[in-house]
Amino acid sequence: MMNLTVLACQSCGYRAIPPKYTCPNCHEESLSEVEIPGKGKVFSHTTIRVAPGAFSSEIPYPILLVELENGLRVTARTELEQVLIGQVVKLQKVENGVYWFS
Ligand SMILES: [Zn+2]
């Protein structure tokens, strides 16, 4: 399992997925990168059947919304054939800014 680098507000502790420059919670420009465990639960999932440019050759493919610690949610790809809501998944790799969980 890998860690994810996310942004943490040094002012209020809010966590965000990059890129963000000001904290959406307290509006301070005090976001800095922190690492959190790349482990979460499947919050929801869907299958992409229409995709832009670079991804059009890969359709259909599943997309996960993974809920990490602190309730932070990240959109991710997966190589799993089947996923269930609430299933525990771990970060496998980050490729071209895309998170892959398995
Ligand atoms: Zn803040």
Side-chain angles (χ1 to χ4, degrees), residues 9 12 23 26:
C9 178
C12 72
C23 176
C26 73

Short mmCIF file of all heavy atoms in Angstrom, two decimals, residues 9 12 23 26, ligand 1:
data_model
loop_
_atom_site.label_atom_id
_atom_site.label_comp_id
_atom_site.label_asym_id
_atom_site.label_seq_id
_atom_site.Cartn_x
_atom_site.Cartn_y
_atom_site.Cartn_z
N CYS A 9 -4.65 22.05 5.52
CA CYS A 9 -4.62 23.46 5.90
C CYS A 9 -3.95 23.57 7.26
O CYS A 9 -4.38 22.93 8.23
CB CYS A 9 -6.03 24.03 5.94
SG CYS A 9 -6.05 25.75 6.47
N CYS A 12 -6.66 25.38 9.80
CA CYS A 12 -7.81 24.73 10.44
C CYS A 12 -7.77 23.21 10.34
O CYS A 12 -8.63 22.54 10.90
CB CYS A 12 -9.12 25.25 9.83
SG CYS A 12 -9.43 24.68 8.16
N CYS A 23 -7.66 27.38 1.13
CA CYS A 23 -8.48 26.43 1.85
C CYS A 23 -9.96 26.74 1.65
O CYS A 23 -10.40 27.85 1.93
CB CYS A 23 -8.14 26.48 3.34
SG CYS A 23 -9.20 25.39 4.31
N CYS A 26 -11.51 27.51 5.48
CA CYS A 26 -11.29 28.76 6.21
C CYS A 26 -10.73 29.87 5.32
O CYS A 26 -10.50 30.97 5.79
CB CYS A 26 -10.39 28.53 7.42
SG CYS A 26 -8.65 28.24 6.98
ZN ZN B 1 -8.38 26.04 6.59
#
